[in-house]
């Protein structure tokens, strides 16, 4: 056999030999059967839900050994990691913001595990380190999850999370001296501090959980408190609780002038109810209803004297801004300030006495400036099709800084003059990669039911549509969250290696408003999977790629997406990467904050929703004897949002049922959670493993650069 023919043969043989040698740990099955409305459902791997059990801990160790051994044999894994470390090692800046006499901004020198908060009184001067979370843990696993300055800028409340957990602690600092104060707030989750002058702040918290189950047990009975500075948390004033509804979320905030205290209530990830207290009215000691829940989404933007400005989708699926008189809250009396547009209104910021609205046009940012009476002043022109954020400041400010990026453009920071509307480039990002030959195109395809769905394709110039290009298909499709253009050095690496990075704007997000969201939730969830499958089929039809060259990836709700499509169409994808996914749709609501997702998914406790959930639940739709794509499931041992049991059970059953040579592995990160706050070192290690696994199983070769 000629050498030219022999080399590919050897490579293929080595790959098959490596995969055939995998010996998966034998996972014990313990018979557990549930009866859902007459349907018997097996759950023999339920014992893996107990993350504290010695047997589960042993299983994790054994699975990681198998995965580590497989990854170690990939010949270019170390080269990928070295390249990623080089690419990652560049200064990353956040947009500056002003509080009191100081400007603050975040910066990561390059490979620091956590970004550092700097400050300066003059942006042309050398800044000083203000708060460095890297000093709080040698492993870099303590993350700064939120900051809140008092209006005067004299005090700072900052939240810390550890090992990726959603649980946070609030610490207090005297800003001038940078002295840590004795005040500390424990057991907060999904919230920070809403300051009332320098006197104290409002916050939401749970009762102290049981230590053994704090990462898995359902969170209930959240309460709102007021903390007075210089006192112990045990003496904090209870502001609001609802004993009749233990699974509701509560959050408090103040309008900028601190006149109105706003209470937001939700029963899940969709739908809200809004209450208020006029703190200037000594006769109002209790909250009063402003916007009845929970069939719409409403958020208070600010007040305009004695009226409240509210962003709402009541009577406007794409949202509008209305003025509500607290003395007459009847919806028919609301005054429209900014009408609903064709594009969806994502958010409204304030600054310099103006409103700044952020819209999406085919998943790309559009920004407009209005006055408080709803008169449009101007559109803020952006550099191109991308994502922009940071449009907001305080009423007395004359300027602010915002950021912009796209798939092929690293983040840039611009200075904005509120009066003139002039945007001036303040800072660009220099990376160790040539991005000038990277292009992004937006194309549209027809999904299974004919719906027009957009997707972004990013690749190097000179692409040939011959069906041979490796593709990473990414999606989310849920919870009203849009997928917008943004730069990722990790994804740029894949493009640099000759891949096409594709983001699909699936139904379930809010790229086109609440109607787009509703078209991918509850009993319409299958539309999301059909959109993703349709995207892959379109790319094959148009000869961008072929079945043997497609990898699919998604995290959290996107992990559910990958689990669903790989079980529904295992023939269509070569590689599957479900990350921190919701894989057991029958029991997700029994852990931590999972109950809050029932408004998005429906619950197996309902005779209406059970059959639908059962039909697509990834864990329950794995079938014996099927050859599944090469799969690497990823999760973290401290994930208390989508508990790791989802991934554990899915991986165990996948290894049991899978037939064929494709590897089906699970990578379990220690001291890591759902993703937020993960140290750079762990991020790079995970990225290197995922790209090594993906490229190896797509038949790609590492390109030296």
């Amino acid at each position: 056999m000629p050498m030219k023919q022999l080399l590919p043969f050897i490579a293929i043989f080595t790959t098959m030999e490596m995969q055939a040698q995998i010996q998966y740990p034998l996972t014990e099955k313990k018979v557990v059967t549930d009866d859902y409305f007459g349907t018997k459902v097996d759950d023999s791997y339920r014992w893996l839900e107990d993350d504290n059990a010695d047997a589960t801990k042993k299983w994790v160790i054994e699975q990681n050994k198998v995965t580590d051994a497989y990854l170690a044999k990939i010949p270019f894994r170390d080269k990928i990691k070295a390249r990623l470390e080089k690419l990652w090692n560049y200064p990353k800046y956040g947009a500056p913001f002003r509080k009191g006499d100081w400007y603050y901004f975040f910066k990561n020198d390059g490979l620091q595990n956590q970004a550092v908060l700097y400050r300066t009184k003059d942006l042309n001067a050398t800044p000083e380190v203000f708060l460095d979370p890297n000093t709080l843990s040698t492993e870099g696993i303590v993350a700064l999850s939120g900051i809140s300055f008092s209006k005067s800028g004299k005090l700072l409340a900052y939240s810390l999370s550890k090992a990726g957990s959603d649980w946070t602690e609030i610490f207090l600092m005297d800003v001038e001296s940078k002295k840590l104060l004795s005040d500390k707030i424990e057991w907060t989750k999904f919230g920070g501090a809403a300051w009332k002058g320098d006197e104290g702040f409002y916050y939401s918290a749970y009762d102290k959980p049981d230590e053994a189950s704090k990462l898995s047990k359902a969170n209930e009975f959240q309460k709102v408190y007021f903390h007075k500075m210089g006192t112990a948390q045990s003496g904090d004033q209870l502001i609001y609780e609802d004993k009749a509804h233990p699974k509701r979320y509560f959050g408090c905030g103040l309008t900028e002038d601190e006149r109105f205290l706003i209470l937001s209530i939700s029963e899940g990830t969709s739908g809200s109810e809004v209450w208020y207290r006029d703190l200037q009215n000594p006769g109002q000691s209790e909250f009063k209803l402003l916007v009845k829940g929970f069939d719409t989404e409403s958020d208070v933007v600010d007040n305009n004297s004695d009226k409240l400005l509210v962003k709402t989708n009541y009577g406007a699926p794409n949202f509008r801004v209305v003025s509500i008189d607290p003395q007459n809250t009847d919806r028919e009396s609301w005054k429209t300030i900014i009408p609903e547009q064709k594009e969806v209104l994502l958010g409204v910021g304030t600054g310099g006495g103006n409103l700044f609205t952020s819209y999406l046009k085919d998943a790309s940012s559009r920004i407009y400036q209005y006055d408080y009476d709803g008169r449009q002043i101007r559109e803020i022109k952006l550099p191109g099709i991308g994502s922009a954020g940071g449009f907001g400041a305080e009423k007395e400010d004359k300027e602010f800084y915002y950021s912009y990026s796209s798939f092929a453009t690293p983040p840039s920071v611009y200075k904005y003059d509120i009066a003139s509307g002039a945007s001036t480039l303040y800072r660009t990002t220099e990376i160790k990669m040539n991005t000038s030959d990277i292009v992004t195109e937006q194309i549209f395809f027809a999904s299974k039911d004919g719906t027009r769905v957009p997707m972004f394709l990013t690749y190097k110039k000179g692409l040939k549509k011959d069906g041979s290009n490796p593709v990473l298909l990414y999606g989310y499709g849920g919870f009203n969250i849009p997928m917008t253009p943004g730069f990722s050095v990790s994804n740029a690496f894949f493009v640099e290696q000759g891949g096409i990075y594709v983001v699909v704007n699936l139904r379930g997000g809010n790229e086109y408003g609440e109607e787009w969201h509703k078209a991918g939730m509850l009993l319409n969830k299958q539309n999301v999977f059909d959109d993703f499958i349709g995207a892959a089929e379109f790319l094959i039809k148009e000869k961008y790629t072929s079945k043997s060259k497609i990898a699919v990836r998604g995290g959290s709700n996107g992990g559910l997406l990958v689990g669903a499509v790989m079980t529904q169409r295992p023939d269509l994808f070569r590689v599957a990467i479900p990350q921190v996914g919701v894989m057991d749709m029958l029991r997700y609501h029994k852990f931590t904050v999972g109950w809050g997702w029932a408004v998005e998914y429906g619950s197996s406790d309902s005779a209406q929703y059970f059959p639908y959930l059962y039909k697509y639940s990834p864990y329950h739709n794995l079938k014996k004897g099927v050859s599944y794509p090469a799969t690497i499931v990823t999760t973290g041992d401290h994930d208390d949002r989508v508990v790791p049991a989802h991934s554990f059970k899915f991986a165990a059953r996948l290894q049991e049922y899978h037939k064929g040579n494709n590897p089906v592995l699970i990578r379990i990160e220690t001291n890591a959670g759902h993703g937020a706050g993960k140290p750079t070192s762990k991020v790079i290690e995970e990225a290197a493993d995922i790209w090594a696994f993906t490229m190896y199983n797509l038949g790609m070769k590492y390109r030296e650069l």
Side-chain angles (χ1 to χ4, degrees):
M1 184 181 290
M3 182 58 70
K4 227 176 231 186
Q5 297 176 18
L6 182 62
L7 286 175
F9 176 80
I10 291 173
I12 292 170
F13 177 77
T14 303
T15 301
M16 292 178 64
E17 181 183 45
M18 179 173 155
Q19 294 171 355
Q21 289 176 349
I22 298 176
Q23 296 293 320
Y24 301 108
L26 183 62
T27 306
E28 183 182 3
K29 297 180 72 174
K30 300 179 181 180
V31 178
V32 176
T33 304
D34 293 316
D35 187 324
Y36 292 91
F37 310 100
T39 299
K40 300 293 194 298
V41 178
D42 171 69
D43 191 7
S44 299
Y45 293 118
R46 185 173 296 176
W47 63 272
L48 287 168
E49 292 179 356
D50 185 356
D51 55 322
N52 289 306
D54 289 340
T56 305
K57 293 176 181 178
K58 181 181 178 183
W59 183 88
V60 168
I61 292 171
E62 291 175 346
Q63 288 288 345
N64 274 340
K65 283 181 180 178
V66 171
T67 301
D68 291 343
Y70 178 88
L71 295 171
K73 292 179 181 177
I74 296 176
F76 45 72
R77 179 195 186 193
D78 290 342
K79 290 183 177 181
I80 290 176
K81 184 179 179 183
R83 179 62 179 159
L84 287 173
E85 285 178 336
K86 182 178 180 180
L87 293 175
W88 232 285
N89 193 10
Y90 67 92
K92 305 165 188 69
Y93 288 89
F97 60 94
R98 188 181 67 83
K99 283 291 178 182
D101 297 330
W102 298 90
Y103 285 97
Y104 297 86
F105 64 90
F106 284 97
K107 178 190 175 186
N108 187 310
D109 288 342
L111 296 177
Q112 288 177 291
N113 277 320
Q114 304 291 340
V116 178
L117 183 60
Y118 288 82
R119 74 174 180 180
T120 179
K121 291 185 177 180
D122 180 355
L123 286 172
N124 294 314
T126 301
E128 66 180 42
V129 172
F130 180 65
L131 182 57
D132 183 0
N134 295 290
T135 63
L136 304 177
S137 165
T138 55
E139 299 172 87
I141 60 173
V142 175
L144 187 60
S145 57
I147 59 173
S148 177
F149 288 88
S150 64
K151 188 175 181 181
S152 69
K154 294 179 180 179
L155 295 170
L156 169 67
Y158 63 92
S159 302
L160 296 179
S161 64
K162 186 176 181 181
S165 170
D166 282 333
W167 288 115
T168 59
E169 289 182 305
I170 299 177
F171 295 85
L172 282 300
M173 180 189 289
D174 174 79
V175 167
E176 193 61 34
S177 66
K178 295 192 286 189
K179 178 184 176 183
L180 188 65
L181 304 177
S182 60
D183 306 56
K184 186 175 77 168
I185 306 298
E186 296 182 307
W187 306 117
T188 63
K189 190 177 270 200
F190 309 130
W195 285 94
K196 181 184 177 185
D198 293 328
E199 174 190 348
F201 55 86
Y202 299 91
Y203 68 94
S204 303
Y206 290 95
D207 293 336
K208 182 178 180 180
D210 176 69
E211 185 65 25
S213 60
K214 67 180 181 181
L215 297 179
S216 58
K217 187 178 180 181
N219 301 135
E220 296 181 328
F221 297 106
Q222 191 178 34
K223 303 176 182 69
V224 177
Y225 296 92
F226 179 76
H227 175 75
K228 186 176 181 179
M229 292 301 297
T231 64
Q233 181 179 2
S234 58
D236 287 351
Q237 179 186 358
L238 178 64
I239 298 298
Y240 191 85
E241 67 175 333
D242 187 345
K243 294 180 179 179
H245 300 93
K247 292 182 176 179
R248 284 183 176 176
Y249 300 108
F250 306 105
C252 257
L254 286 158
T255 52
E256 188 174 339
D257 64 2
E258 300 186 358
R259 173 176 175 176
F260 290 97
L261 178 63
I262 307 300
L263 174 68
S264 296
I265 306 175
S266 61
E267 294 188 327
T269 51
S270 294
S272 62
E273 184 167 88
V274 183
W275 297 66
Y276 77 95
R277 276 177 60 187
D278 185 347
L279 300 182
Q280 289 185 7
N281 180 0
Q284 187 187 346
S285 59
E286 302 292 332
F287 285 101
K288 292 183 178 180
L289 183 64
L290 185 74
V291 182
K292 182 176 173 56
F294 292 89
D295 57 340
T296 60
E297 300 275 358
S298 298
D299 298 295
V300 173
V301 176
D302 198 7
N303 65 307
N304 189 3
S305 186
D306 59 348
K307 307 295 191 300
L308 287 163
L309 298 180
V310 179
K311 169 181 170 275
T312 182
N313 63 355
Y314 172 71
N318 286 348
F319 290 91
R320 58 177 172 151
V321 178
V322 300
S323 175
I324 303 178
D325 183 349
Q327 304 305 314
N328 184 12
T329 60
D330 182 86
R331 288 177 172 178
E332 301 307 314
S333 300
W334 294 0
K335 178 184 176 183
T336 297
I337 299 299
I338 302 177
E340 180 186 23
Q341 307 293 326
K342 183 180 178 182
E343 292 78 27
V344 61
L345 175 60
L346 276 189
V348 184
T350 63
N354 290 260
L355 304 175
F356 295 89
T357 59
S358 175
Y359 290 88
L360 280 186
K361 169 67 174 176
D362 291 329
S364 180
S365 292
R366 295 288 189 277
I367 311 296
Y368 299 89
Q369 181 176 345
Y370 291 82
D371 64 22
Y372 268 51
D373 293 321
R375 183 178 65 87
Q376 186 181 122
I377 298 171
R378 63 177 65 91
E379 178 180 1
I380 301 174
K381 297 294 184 181
L382 301 176
I385 296 176
S387 300
F391 294 88
E394 296 181 354
K395 273 193 170 69
E396 62 269 23
D397 287 337
K398 307 296 183 184
E399 62 190 28
F400 59 78
Y401 294 79
Y402 68 88
S403 60
Y404 169 85
S405 73
S406 68
F407 289 117
T409 307
S412 297
V413 176
Y414 291 82
K415 179 181 178 180
Y416 184 73
D417 184 276
I418 296 173
S420 70
S423 286
T424 307
L425 181 62
Y426 171 72
R427 176 174 278 132
T428 57
T429 301
E430 300 294 332
I431 65 171
K432 299 166 184 176
M433 172 189 283
N434 177 23
T435 58
S436 63
D437 63 348
I438 296 178
V439 295
T440 296
E441 67 170 322
Q442 185 178 41
I443 59 179
F444 296 80
F445 67 94
S447 191
K448 183 178 180 179
D449 62 358
T451 299
R452 186 172 180 260
V453 179
M455 59 179 165
F456 292 101
L457 279 64
T458 303
Y459 50 81
K460 294 184 75 172
K461 292 177 181 177
L463 177 80
K464 294 181 180 179
K465 293 166 66 173
D466 57 6
S468 67
N469 299 295
V471 164
L472 190 287
L473 200 65
Y474 182 87
Y476 187 79
F479 293 97
N480 225 9
I481 297 172
M483 295 292 103
T484 59
F487 186 78
S488 159
V489 72
S490 178
N491 295 331
F493 161 80
F494 181 67
V495 172
E496 180 185 67
Q497 289 294 314
I500 306 176
Y501 178 69
V502 181
V503 173
V504 191
N505 298 111
L506 307 163
R507 281 175 282 184
N510 73 335
E511 287 86 346
Y512 296 102
E514 186 59 19
E515 291 180 0
W516 193 255
H517 174 217
K518 288 181 177 178
M521 63 186 287
L522 298 174
L523 298 176
N524 293 319
K525 189 66 178 177
Q526 183 60 41
N527 287 335
V528 182
F529 313 139
D530 290 342
D531 290 352
F532 208 52
I533 290 168
E537 292 176 333
F538 177 86
L539 294 172
I540 293 169
K541 178 185 175 184
E542 296 298 316
K543 299 191 181 303
Y544 283 96
T545 190
S546 60
K547 289 183 179 181
S548 64
K549 292 291 184 178
I550 301 179
V552 286
R553 181 178 183 179
S556 195
N557 177 71
L560 159 63
L561 166 71
V562 172
V565 299
M566 69 177 279
T567 53
Q568 292 181 14
R569 288 294 305 277
D571 63 302
L572 188 57
F573 314 107
R574 182 70 181 88
V575 174
I577 312 160
Q579 299 187 263
V580 293
V582 188
M583 312 306 264
D584 183 346
M585 296 306 297
L586 303 187
R587 289 177 58 77
Y588 74 83
H589 57 298
K590 297 182 179 295
F591 305 98
T592 60
V593 294
W595 51 264
W597 313 332
V599 295
E600 180 80 11
Y601 297 137
S603 167
S604 62
D605 294 338
S606 161
Q608 178 188 16
Y609 290 111
F610 161 71
Y612 194 80
L613 293 166
Y614 190 39
K615 190 175 181 180
Y616 73 76
S617 176
Y619 173 59
H620 299 96
N621 281 279
L622 290 164
K623 296 178 176 61
K624 292 181 179 179
V626 173
S627 178
Y628 288 101
T631 303
I632 184 164
V633 180
T634 72
T635 188
D637 66 349
H638 277 65
D639 191 343
D640 51 356
R641 192 172 311 175
V642 180
V643 293
H646 284 277
S647 296
F648 292 176
K649 292 163 63 175
F650 180 78
R653 184 167 282 179
L654 177 62
Q655 290 175 354
E656 178 193 357
Y657 287 177
H658 171 62
K659 180 181 180 181
N661 290 323
N662 291 336
V664 287
L665 307 169
I666 182 168
R667 183 187 187 279
I668 306 152
E669 187 78 73
T670 57
N671 284 324
H674 201 59
K678 185 177 289 187
T680 299
S681 57
K682 287 183 180 290
V683 172
I684 292 175
E685 287 172 1
E686 181 181 55
D689 287 350
I690 287 174
W691 288 128
F693 182 88
T694 300
M695 291 172 62
Y696 186 72
N697 284 284
L698 290 181
M700 298 173 66
K701 296 179 180 179
Y702 180 79
R703 297 183 179 184
E704 299 283 357
L705 297 165

